[in-house]
Amino acid sequence: MKTLLLLVLSMIAAARDATAQDTECVRERAAMIETIKTYARSHASVVGQQGFSERVLEAMGQTKRHLFIPERSCSIAYADRPLPIGLGQTISQPFIVALMTELAEVAPDHVVLEVGTGSGYQAAILARLARKVCTIEIVPQLAETATKTLKDLAYDNVSVRLGDGYAGWPECGPFDAMVVTAALGQVPPPLIEQLKVGGRLVMPVGAEYGTQHLTVVEKVAPDKTTTRAVVPVRFVPFTRSQGR
Ligand code: SAH
């Protein structure tokens, strides 16, 4: 009798665990990490022979992507593909988020600028790796939703600002790293100005709806940068505020 009771109790506990795992999308997130790692191995020329760093994989593994998208389904959130976040915008596929984060080489004491907050997902990843993240979004509704999501999830080291990221955010900088998640024909000069010497900026550079390359710009001296195109990508356009 006692054995039966114990069996029933352990079955209930197991069922509760499984439900908790389902709502937390634990399995799907682990599978996403495996997909990213496999992809990195077959794209060694892009990511490097050593693959993604443990820090980046850990940040990706701990960030609940399903809480940043309108449709909170585990299977949709963790598939390696871009997702609509409303208002014609998209959140990049996890591999690209990991790649941009890796290329930005974020360290624990860094101050990081993101342009294109969108859902707040990339900002959340950066917030796990840096001391402070400042992120700018031009669409009011997205800025508002991302601010709320990040606050609800207690990402206390992220500040969201509504505006045109072309001008950067001087009061929040200077920055050790920058991640721009919308495509433009050239890197905005104010961003380079606000980047520290030794810092790097990662951004899709290229024509709107045309060929774009994920590009890494490194500021090697106060007025000298080096630029490296890493991989062809497709991002939503970097829009400009009215009146410019
Ligand atoms: N990083 C986001 C995805 C961004 S999609 C995420 O993790 O969800 C690109 C975002 O850039 C969109 O939300 C778009 O509105 C925003 N954007 C485009 N041009 C901008 C500009 N000039 N300044 C700030 N944000 C801009």
Side-chain angles (χ1 to χ4, degrees), residues 54 112 134 154 165 167 222 242:
E54 274 310 312
V112 182
C134 304
Q242 306 282 312

Side-chain angles (χ1 to χ4, degrees), residues 89-90 114 116-119 122 137-139 142 164-165 181 238-239:
Q89 302 304 329
T90 53
E114 181 196 25
T117 316
S119 67
Q122 172 79 73
E137 171 56 53
I138 202 165
V139 177
L142 291 175
D164 182 351
T181 62
F238 189 112
T239 51

Side-chain angles (χ1 to χ4, degrees), residues 99-107 110 112 126 176-179 200 202:
L99 180 60
M100 293 182 86
T101 310
E102 186 74 43
L103 293 170
E105 294 188 12
V106 181
H110 278 182
V112 182
L126 294 168
D176 301 279
M178 295 181 174
V179 173
R200 47 188 72 217
V202 182

Side-chain angles (χ1 to χ4, degrees), residues 151-173:
K151 184 166 175 278
D152 289 351
L153 297 174
Y155 284 97
D156 299 331
N157 58 340
V158 184
S159 306
V160 183
R161 170 161 134 176
L162 174 65
D164 182 351
Y166 192 94
W169 190 343
E171 310 78 44
C172 225

